[in-house]
Amino acid sequence: MKKIYFLIFADHLKSKVFSLHRGNPGVGGTQFTSIRLALLLAETCPEWKIVLVNSNKISLENSSLNVVQQISKNSTNFFNSIDINHDDLIIASTSTLKTVDIKCLQNFEGNLVCWSRHPFDKDANVLASKVKFKGVVCVGTYQFYSNTNITKDVFYIQNPFILPNLTKIEKKLKPKNREIDIVYMGALIPGKGFLEVAKSWHSLKALVPRVKLHVIGSTATYGEKSESHLIPTKPDFAEKILGFIPEEDIHSGKVIFYGNLGEEKFEIIQKCDLAILNPTGNTEAFPASPLECMACGIPVIASDDYGMSDCMRFFPELVIKGNKDIPKKVEWLISDPLRYQELQQRSVAVAKWFDSQADQIITRWVRLIEAIISDKNSEVDLSPILPFYGSRIKMFYRKRLRAYVNKIRGLSG
């Protein structure tokens, strides 16, 4: 029986419950999609044994009988204690693998798949220069093309997106002189772009005096304490946000910080009129937040750069290049009820399309795993389904710039 190990190693999963029929309970995308993929593979391939490896037990609901759990203190402890066969495979994120001694990883080269979750993945590049992985798997289209120089065996397998179980709500755009509800969703860390949204807050209030901003997310998404009493983030980042969002707007309820939420977030999203997400796209590989908003019939205003391009390529009218574009895009979106309705309908259609890819995604993983175990991974071509989107010149420049910076810092690649 093949054993497929998924390395999780996240201590903050203790109070969370995972199931094929539940959405993200409020954890990082890497942990959630790793567990979801493991459960989907177990259901598809009952003859395989799927092993979830974590520092503590993960709460699973109605999982297949071939899903087992293994408790290891940390990733190093796991690699030092495991007895692996040729037909077994270890799938682990770059962030997990970089915590393990290189010599230790080299002992498992024939069984190891690196799962990259970042565009221009510097850590995967460094690791692959020292460890002969059986493959490096990328989850987003732009992310894949940004990482093709890591090794000859770079594969694209999109993260599965499954539609949330929603109560159908027929939304109608409110008149501009009435309250407009905007939602932002993402971890409140600098890399997710909320500060750019905050910078547009003054202009949004001038545009729609009765606007409300609903903010879902915190540092707890990644298991970190927020420490700030007013905004669920680190004090230094909270201070920067308060430079653009006055405390009185938080106390009066014009800006509401909900913190880290699980499936209950959909009750909030469905009550909103539009979403403003990462205005830069930076750090994104294949984010689920735009698709979760779209599934609720909520048009998304966001960047189409980096991983945001996977879904925002379908909405060129709503693409922004920075915070200065936000107010005019909001005004354009809410100025025509029928145009708004069209974008709602397109949003739902795009979310459904990504949901329809789930079976194909699992088949791609099965193909790759079977090919690796048969030592035929070099014969498998798993390239993106959608064509490259964006500026190839800009991507080339970014690659060269990162290579130059890494060289100065003494890093490979």
Side-chain angles (χ1 to χ4, degrees):
M1 175 181 283
K2 296 184 183 71
K3 287 184 182 178
I4 313 298
Y5 294 86
F6 284 87
L7 307 194
I8 310 298
F9 292 112
D11 293 333
H12 61 290
L13 305 184
K14 292 179 183 178
S15 60
K16 310 297 183 181
V17 179
F18 297 87
S19 167
L20 283 179
H21 309 293
R22 290 176 181 254
N24 190 330
V27 301
T30 296
Q31 290 79 38
F32 175 66
T33 53
S34 295
I35 295 170
R36 168 159 277 180
L37 175 62
L39 297 178
L40 287 168
L41 272 178
E43 185 177 67
T44 303
C45 303
E47 71 279 12
W48 295 359
K49 181 175 283 189
I50 306 298
V51 186
L52 288 174
V53 186
N54 196 34
S55 51
N56 49 61
K57 189 174 182 181
I58 299 170
S59 296
L60 302 176
E61 183 179 80
N62 300 323
S63 61
S64 301
L65 294 177
N66 56 327
V67 177
V68 299
Q69 298 197 46
Q70 181 172 324
I71 309 300
S72 290
K73 184 178 179 180
N74 51 48
S75 52
T76 298
N77 180 263
F78 166 77
F79 281 103
N80 286 334
S81 61
I82 188 175
D83 182 17
I84 199 163
N85 297 317
H86 177 269
D87 287 351
D88 299 338
L89 206 61
I90 301 169
I91 300 171
S93 67
T94 307
S95 57
T96 295
L97 293 174
K98 73 177 185 178
T99 66
V100 184
D101 181 75
I102 291 295
K103 290 183 179 179
C104 182
L105 291 179
Q106 289 171 341
N107 294 328
F108 296 89
E109 287 181 333
N111 305 86
L112 198 53
V113 172
C114 175
W115 203 356
S116 172
R117 305 304 187 99
H118 293 284
F120 306 101
D121 196 335
K122 175 189 68 180
D123 292 322
N125 209 339
V126 172
L127 284 168
S129 70
K130 301 172 183 177
V131 181
K132 295 179 181 178
F133 295 119
K134 298 302 286 187
V136 174
V137 176
C138 294
V139 300
T141 302
Y142 185 97
Q143 185 224 354
F144 169 86
Y145 287 109
S146 75
N147 288 322
T148 50
N149 63 331
I150 290 179
T151 178
K152 63 181 180 67
D153 292 322
V154 178
F155 305 101
Y156 165 83
I157 308 180
Q158 177 190 301
N159 275 338
F161 172 75
I162 298 176
L163 284 171
N165 185 19
L166 302 172
T167 302
K168 185 174 176 58
I169 295 178
E170 294 292 343
K171 288 180 63 63
K172 290 187 178 180
L173 182 65
K174 304 163 191 170
K176 186 177 173 181
N177 61 350
R178 291 180 58 189
E179 186 176 287
I180 296 294
D181 290 274
I182 298 173
V183 64
Y184 167 88
M185 185 161 56
L188 285 186
I189 59 175
K192 295 299 181 181
F194 180 72
L195 190 61
E196 296 300 304
V197 178
K199 288 176 182 178
S200 70
W201 177 239
H202 178 76
S203 298
L204 287 172
K205 286 194 295 181
L207 176 66
V208 186
R210 297 184 62 186
V211 66
K212 272 191 175 183
L213 179 60
H214 303 262
V215 184
I216 301 172
S218 74
T219 53
T221 304
Y222 297 110
E224 299 179 14
K225 293 182 179 179
S226 64
E227 299 177 11
S228 172
H229 72 284
L230 195 60
I231 300 174
T233 187
K234 297 290 184 181
D236 56 342
F237 192 49
E239 188 175 343
K240 290 180 180 179
I241 293 170
L242 290 170
F244 300 98
I245 296 178
E247 281 195 41
E248 61 189 64
D249 285 357
I250 300 174
H251 294 307
S252 66
K254 287 184 73 69
V255 180
I256 306 170
F257 289 92
Y258 295 92
N260 200 42
L261 298 179
E263 288 188 292
E264 62 271 25
K265 66 189 175 188
F266 290 110
E267 296 179 17
I268 298 165
I269 297 170
Q270 286 183 297
K271 294 176 182 177
C272 292
D273 301 286
L274 61 100
I276 303 174
L277 303 182
N278 195 331
T280 67
N282 192 23
T283 76
E284 305 288 5
F286 179 76
S289 54
L291 293 173
E292 289 175 329
C293 292
M294 292 174 190
C296 296
I298 306 300
V300 174
I301 294 171
S303 168
D304 65 346
D305 205 355
Y306 295 93
M308 296 297 287
S309 63
D310 281 281
C311 54
M312 289 306 295
R313 66 169 69 205
F314 299 102
F315 300 90
E317 312 98 319
L318 300 179
V319 167
I320 53 176
K321 300 302 180 185
N323 67 81
K324 292 182 180 179
D325 291 343
I326 292 175
K328 62 184 178 183
K329 289 294 182 180
V330 170
E331 183 173 25
W332 181 86
L333 179 60
I334 66 177
S335 63
D336 185 333
L338 282 176
R339 184 169 59 201
Y340 175 85
Q341 184 180 0
E342 177 192 340
L343 287 162
Q344 276 188 313
Q345 293 165 344
R346 195 193 311 168
S347 297
V348 173
V350 168
K352 287 182 176 178
W353 183 83
F354 277 97
D355 172 80
S356 73
Q357 305 303 300
D359 288 344
Q360 180 190 158
I361 289 165
I362 298 305
T363 299
R364 282 190 157 218
W365 270 107
V366 174
R367 282 182 62 206
L368 180 60
I369 290 169
E370 294 282 14
I372 288 174
I373 291 172
S374 303
D375 292 320
K376 295 181 179 180
N377 46 303
S378 61
E379 300 176 14
V380 178
D381 179 18
L382 295 176
S383 300
I385 301 164
L386 298 172
F388 177 84
Y389 180 93
S391 168
R392 290 186 182 273
I393 295 175
K394 184 184 287 187
M395 173 175 280
F396 176 75
Y397 169 76
R398 286 170 172 168
K399 282 185 178 182
R400 291 294 297 270
L401 179 62
R402 282 164 172 79
Y404 175 71
V405 171
N406 291 341
K407 185 177 181 181
I408 290 176
R409 292 175 177 173
L411 298 173
S412 174

